[in-house]
Amino acid sequence: MIKFDKVSVSFSDKKDHTVNAVRNVSFEIGKGEIWGIVGTSGAGKSTLLRTVNQLQLPTGGRTIVDGVDISSLSGKELAKFRHSIGMIFQQFNLVSTKTVAQNVAFAMEIAGRSQEEIKQRVPELLELVGLADRADVYPNTLSGGQKQRVGIARAVANNPKILLCDEATSALDPETTNDVLELLKKINVKFGITIVLITHELDVVKKICQRVAVMNKGEVVELGEVFDVFTKPRHEFTKTLLSHTFDLDLPERLTQDHTKPLVRIVYNGEKAEDSIVSNVVKHYAIDVNILHGKIEYINDKPFGILIVQLIGAQDELAQGLDYLSKNTYRTEVINERN
Ligand SMILES: Nc1ncnc2c1ncn2[C@@H]1O[C@H](COP(=O)(O)OP(=O)(O)OP(=O)(O)O)[C@@H](O)[C@H]1O
Ligand SMILES: [Mg+2]
């Protein structure tokens, strides 16, 4: 549906230095997917996203949308094409002098829809986003979550194939964020819209995205199924991003104790029910102290993180660790001396 083919974007800043905002990015987003793009500020996420509706032209490579190289479109074709892509923003960008209904209607007017069609569709859209009773109020009387719902109604008003979300939940509290994400999911399922979601919050990705690209300094450093990227991050940058998820806080006396292996075990959905830990105790002469643990859910698939201390003779410990490595998603000793 969206194919980034060696896309690069460079800017010249005031002092004529070149800023390589996006560097040689290639990946493909499938139809109907919810795809996340994560990275810290300045990573190039918005710039990459803006190449999809050509608010930004690639300076190298091509962004191909639904089989069309959009840089080849003429002015008129481009205008039409842009109506097939909706966008929502962190700051909502609503027109303050128009009511909720007028904001949504406005998007349809610009796309040349008839008044009749607008009259029929606007109430349906407001119903969809749960704001039917707010049609005639002005945006400044709405909460942040409600404003974003108007933004979503407006963005999908012209039946777009793609919805681009640039930090759409970053100005919202966690509960409202959840409501908005659920609404996006509902729209994705109901209309089959492909959604690309930029965020610096991993929780957002974890909740609704199937696949994710991690960006750092203009490059995509990691890419794949959210579950895989989160449970087996390969790049240092991703590991740092995920450190909140994986670094369960332990007192120093435990992490500084190098006499017994301190082991972080990550096990995924299927293995979660196996008694991996009790098997280690049964099969080897090892005692296991469970020190910390939690279960995370990604796309409704659970994965558990457990930190345990292993106590036993060297060869038993080696065999026990080997068993854990083979039977868990990931097992690593975290208190080894460097
Ligand atoms: N129009 C522009 N002119 C010059 N430099 C730009 C322009 N737009 C973006 N940049 C630079 O490109 C880099 C990437 O910016 P971009 O906005 O894409 O990052 P981002 O990942 O979206 O960051 P954030 O999370 O802060 O929104 C930054 O260094 C930014 O300063
Ligand atoms: Mg941005």
Side-chain angles (χ1 to χ4, degrees):
M1 189 66 175
I2 302 171
K3 185 173 175 189
F4 299 107
D5 181 17
K6 303 195 182 78
V7 173
S8 297
V9 181
S10 322
F11 298 108
S12 298
D13 67 10
K14 285 181 204 126
K15 291 177 191 148
D16 245 13
H17 294 143
T18 305
V19 180
N20 296 313
V22 175
R23 302 163 189 246
N24 200 27
V25 166
S26 297
F27 65 91
E28 198 167 345
I29 299 174
K31 189 170 169 14
E33 266 194 278
I34 304 184
W35 186 295
I37 300 178
V38 289
T40 49
S41 185
K45 308 179 294 293
S46 298
T47 306
L48 181 68
L49 195 74
R50 288 158 62 87
T51 69
V52 175
N53 54 5
Q54 234 200 86
L55 290 174
Q56 177 66 56
L57 273 172
T59 47
R62 301 178 306 164
T63 299
I64 296 166
V65 179
D66 213 7
V68 180
D69 177 355
I70 45 177
S71 63
S72 69
L73 297 179
S74 67
K76 235 184 179 172
E77 288 168 329
L78 181 62
K80 188 160 173 243
F81 166 83
R82 282 206 178 121
H83 294 311
S84 69
I85 300 182
M87 191 158 184
I88 55 174
F89 310 88
Q90 180 170 0
Q91 297 309 335
F92 322 121
N93 297 4
L94 302 178
V95 182
S96 61
T97 53
K98 289 185 188 291
T99 64
V100 165
Q102 285 165 349
N103 262 281
V104 179
F106 188 46
M108 296 183 70
E109 283 158 16
I110 293 173
R113 303 298 174 113
S114 72
Q115 280 305 320
E116 203 177 313
E117 199 184 345
I118 293 173
K119 248 196 195 133
Q120 190 197 331
R121 184 148 166 83
V122 170
E124 287 171 8
L125 287 161
L126 294 181
E127 182 75 42
L128 173 78
V129 300
L131 287 178
D133 57 342
R134 296 299 174 101
D136 299 321
V137 308
Y138 287 89
N140 64 1
T141 64
L142 299 177
S143 69
Q146 289 171 329
K147 283 181 193 161
Q148 196 55 290
R149 284 169 185 275
V150 181
I152 292 170
R154 182 182 57 183
V156 300
N158 295 309
N159 295 311
K161 289 182 275 194
I162 297 170
L163 179 60
L164 307 176
C165 312
D166 194 345
E167 301 280 4
T169 57
S170 301
L172 307 176
D173 62 54
E175 202 176 319
T176 315
T177 292
N178 270 347
D179 293 345
V180 168
L181 293 178
E182 265 167 37
L183 176 60
L184 289 176
K185 179 92 201 168
K186 179 169 127 186
I187 285 169
N188 165 257
V189 172
K190 196 171 161 116
F191 304 115
I193 298 182
T194 307
I195 297 183
V196 191
L197 208 143
I198 289 184
T199 180
H200 58 269
E201 293 162 293
L202 290 168
D203 267 353
V204 166
V205 173
K206 228 158 54 179
K207 277 195 190 106
I208 65 165
C209 299
Q210 284 114 33
R211 292 198 284 166
V212 64
V214 182
M215 285 187 79
N216 183 33
K217 296 180 186 154
E219 285 179 319
V220 168
V221 293
E222 199 141 6
L223 175 94
E225 297 284 326
V226 173
F227 194 86
D228 295 338
V229 171
F230 276 44
T231 51
K232 270 188 185 166
R234 284 182 300 246
H235 196 276
E236 274 314 309
F237 178 73
T238 319
K239 287 183 189 166
T240 314
L241 267 185
L242 288 168
S243 57
H244 293 298
T245 303
F246 285 108
D247 285 352
L248 303 178
D249 269 344
L250 285 177
E252 250 184 35
R253 70 184 157 79
L254 291 171
T255 54
Q256 295 306 312
D257 177 358
H258 300 291
T259 59
K260 310 171 197 83
L262 197 61
V263 182
R264 174 164 41 218
I265 302 168
V266 180
Y267 51 98
N268 70 7
E270 299 100 70
K271 301 264 187 199
E273 280 111 55
D274 292 354
S275 333
I276 299 160
V277 173
S278 52
N279 279 347
V280 170
V281 178
K282 257 187 260 165
H283 298 326
Y284 309 98
I286 293 177
D287 281 330
V288 177
N289 277 338
I290 295 178
L291 302 175
H292 213 325
K294 69 171 172 179
I295 293 179
E296 287 273 335
Y297 289 88
I298 299 175
N299 288 328
D300 291 334
K301 261 204 285 185
F303 82 93
I305 305 163
L306 210 55
I307 298 189
V308 299
Q309 200 173 40
L310 301 182
I311 302 157
Q314 278 305 328
D315 56 335
E316 294 288 331
L317 286 176
Q319 288 183 52
L321 276 170
D322 189 49
Y323 175 87
L324 285 171
S325 300
K326 286 187 177 131
N327 289 283
T328 60
Y329 209 67
R330 196 170 94 207
T331 290
E332 58 186 328
V333 178
I334 53 175
N335 66 335
E336 251 162 8
R337 259 186 243 271
N338 290 323

